[in-house]
Amino acid sequence: MKTGFALCAIVAIVRTASVDLNKRASPLAVTLTHLNDTAFKVGITNSGLNGYNLLYAGSLLDDAPTDDLIITSATSPAKFHGVHLRPLQSHLTQAAFVSIAAGQTISKQIDIAEIYETPSDSYTVTAAGSFPYAEADSTELSGKSLSFTSNTVKMDIDGDIAAKVIYKVDRMHSKRTDLESDCSSTQLSTVKAALSNCEKLASAAADAAANGHGTIFAEYFKTESLRPDVATRLRDVAKDCAATTSGATTTSCKDQYSACSDNVLAYTIPQKNAVFLCSSFFSYLPAVADSCHAQDQATTVIHENTHAPAVDNPGTSDNGYGYSA
C-alpha cells in the first residue's frame, strides 16, 4: 500500500488529537456562566465583521450529548457519558448549519451532569474546540475552522445532586446491536468491505506512524513524541476491524440512539463500545477516497473505532474537524 494512503489513515485520527486552539485569531468568543448546581449557560458571540454558517453536528451547538467541555477535578478529568458524532462535510444543506451574524450571540443551556460523571469534588470547566464553517451565503465548507476557548469556571459539585440527573444518552433509545440483523444484505456487504479496508489502512498507517516521515507526522500531531502512541492505537484499531465476529466493538446500521441526521455519517457510544453507521455513510461516501482529507467509509470506521475504550483506553475525543483545525 502506498505511503500516501497510509498517511491518509493517520489523518482519520488527527481530529481526535490535541490541537492548538489558539494558533489563529478567531472572531468567536465563548462564555460559560454557572447557573445552579450543574447547569451552565453557554454564549457564543461573533465579534467579527462577517457572518458565518457554523457546522453544528458534534459541536457545542448540537443538542446531542457531545464532548465539548474540559471538566477536570484536582485528580482527574470527568468521565464522558455521551456520543461522539462524525459529521458529513459534503452534500450539505442549510439544515446542517447554525447561522451567526456579525455581532450576534447564540445562547444555550447545558447540564454537565447529563454528559459527564461528576462525583463530589472541586472542578474547573472550560469549553474548547472549533467549528468548520461555510460563508454566510453558502453551504459549502470553506476548508477552515473557527476555534474557541472559553473562560474557565471553578465550582464545587455535590455528587449526590449530580447523580440524580439522568445521563442524556441513557434517555435515548437503545438496544443490543447485531451486525447481521441490523444491516440489510447490501449494507452488510458495504460494512464488511469497510472493516477490511479499515484493517489494511490502519495497519499501514501504524507502520507509517512508527517509521515514516517524521516531519509529516509532526505536521499533523505537532510533535514526533506521539509516534509510539499513535502507532499502537492504529494497530489496535486494525486488530478490531479484522475481528468481525469477536472484536471489542459492535457495529450497527440502525440508528439505535436517534443521533443520526442528514449531516451525520456515524457515531460511537463509548460506554457501549458501539459504532452506529448512518444513512449518509452509505449514500455519500466512497469505500476509499483517492485523496487525503477526503471522507470515506474506511477512514470513518477507523475514526469511530478510536473513540471506543475497549479498542484502546482511553478512547479519543473530537477537538476539531478538518485539516485546518
Side-chain angles (χ1 to χ4, degrees), residues 5-6 20 41-42 46 51 74 95 113 124 130 132 156 185 232-233 260 283 289 306:
F5 286 99
D20 181 1
K41 178 182 177 181
V42 181
N46 178 8
T124 59
S130 62
D156 294 327
S185 58
T232 296
R233 189 173 292 273
C260 287
S283 300
T306 66

Side-chain angles (χ1 to χ4, degrees), residues 272-325:
K272 306 289 186 180
N273 291 295
V275 175
F276 300 86
L277 305 176
C278 302
S279 60
S280 296
F281 175 91
F282 300 98
S283 300
Y284 295 123
L285 297 186
V288 179
D290 57 6
S291 63
C292 279
H293 307 145
Q295 293 179 310
D296 60 30
Q297 292 170 344
T299 54
T300 293
V301 172
I302 291 173
H303 179 94
E304 292 307 313
N305 274 27
T306 66
H307 291 313
V311 173
D312 198 321
N313 193 28
T316 58
S317 295
D318 290 324
N319 294 322
Y321 296 97
Y323 175 75
S324 64

Side-chain angles (χ1 to χ4, degrees), residues 68-325:
D68 300 294
L69 300 174
I70 302 171
I71 303 177
T72 307
S73 70
T75 56
S76 62
K79 185 176 180 181
F80 175 62
H81 285 267
V83 54
H84 293 294
L85 302 173
R86 182 163 170 81
L88 179 68
Q89 296 188 339
S90 62
H91 305 88
L92 299 172
T93 67
Q94 185 59 44
F97 298 92
V98 172
S99 297
I100 185 167
Q104 181 182 2
T105 296
I106 298 173
S107 298
K108 66 174 294 186
Q109 289 191 21
I110 294 178
D111 191 330
I112 62 175
E114 290 185 324
I115 311 173
Y116 299 89
E117 184 177 326
T118 52
S120 295
D121 209 332
S122 297
Y123 292 86
T124 59
V125 182
T126 307
S130 62
F131 290 100
Y133 70 91
E135 302 300 336
D137 58 351
S138 174
T139 57
E140 182 176 349
L141 290 177
S142 66
K144 301 176 182 179
S145 295
L146 299 175
S147 60
F148 62 86
T149 301
S150 76
N151 59 307
T152 296
V153 175
K154 297 181 179 180
M155 61 182 297
D156 294 327
I157 292 180
D158 185 326
D160 291 336
I161 294 176
K164 295 178 182 178
V165 179
I166 299 173
Y167 293 126
K168 184 178 287 189
V169 73
D170 289 342
R171 298 201 303 267
M172 301 161 73
H173 174 70
S174 66
K175 73 176 187 64
R176 183 177 177 83
T177 62
D178 179 78
L179 182 60
E180 300 289 341
S181 63
D182 284 354
C183 300
S184 69
S185 58
T186 301
Q187 289 175 328
L188 185 59
S189 177
T190 298
V191 173
K192 287 182 176 179
L195 290 170
S196 176
N197 287 327
C198 163
E199 189 273 331
K200 295 173 185 175
L201 280 173
S203 293
D207 291 339
N211 305 307
H213 298 288
T215 53
I216 295 177
F217 184 93
E219 177 183 351
Y220 289 95
F221 289 93
K222 316 307 176 189
T223 175
E224 290 190 52
S225 65
L226 294 173
R227 294 181 74 159
D229 296 330
V230 172
T232 296
R233 189 173 292 273
L234 284 164
R235 290 191 187 100
D236 289 340
V237 169
K239 180 180 178 181
D240 189 62
C241 284
T244 56
T245 59
S246 59
T249 61
T250 59
T251 302
S252 176
C253 302
K254 291 185 178 179
D255 182 16
Q256 305 297 348
Y257 284 77
S258 302
C260 287
S261 66
D262 289 342
N263 57 306
V264 173
L265 293 169
Y267 62 93
T268 300
I269 306 293
Q271 312 89 283
K272 306 289 186 180
N273 291 295
V275 175
F276 300 86
L277 305 176
C278 302
S279 60
S280 296
F281 175 91
F282 300 98
S283 300
Y284 295 123
L285 297 186
V288 179
D290 57 6
S291 63
C292 279
H293 307 145
Q295 293 179 310
D296 60 30
Q297 292 170 344
T299 54
T300 293
V301 172
I302 291 173
H303 179 94
E304 292 307 313
N305 274 27
T306 66
H307 291 313
V311 173
D312 198 321
N313 193 28
T316 58
S317 295
D318 290 324
N319 294 322
Y321 296 97
Y323 175 75
S324 64

